[in-house]
Amino acid sequence: MTCVDDLNVFDAGTVVTPEMIKEKGLAKQVVDGIKILGEGNLEKNVTVQAHKFSKTAIEKIEQAGGKAEVI
């Protein structure tokens, strides 16, 4: 599980993949893929590819100008 706040380490415009999340050590727990939670604030427009998103995470990603893509 990863929080939207953790995604601020990526540059604006980046397509963030599960592999990138793992490489940065942002995946706190990987059971059935990567899940993005809505804790914190996202300050950059990034496209996030993950297996699951909380409703709040999707809202915060879209508010920052990004996209949430379920893979």
Side-chain angles (χ1 to χ4, degrees):
M1 290 185 269
T2 302
C3 299
V4 292
D5 191 50
D6 296 331
L7 301 173
N8 286 310
V9 300
F10 297 103
D11 293 330
T14 301
V15 176
V16 181
T17 64
E19 292 77 22
M20 293 168 72
I21 291 170
K22 289 177 192 173
E23 284 174 13
K24 293 276 189 185
L26 301 177
K28 295 174 179 70
Q29 180 181 9
V30 180
V31 179
D32 293 326
I34 301 288
K35 181 173 182 177
I36 308 297
L37 302 177
E39 296 175 23
N41 291 307
L42 181 60
E43 300 162 4
K44 301 176 182 177
N45 64 331
V46 292
T47 298
V48 184
Q49 297 177 340
H51 302 95
K52 299 176 188 174
F53 293 87
S54 71
K55 183 179 177 184
T56 308
I58 293 171
E59 292 170 357
K60 289 185 177 183
I61 291 167
E62 290 176 350
Q63 284 174 355
K67 289 174 38 177
E69 297 180 351
V70 177
I71 54 171

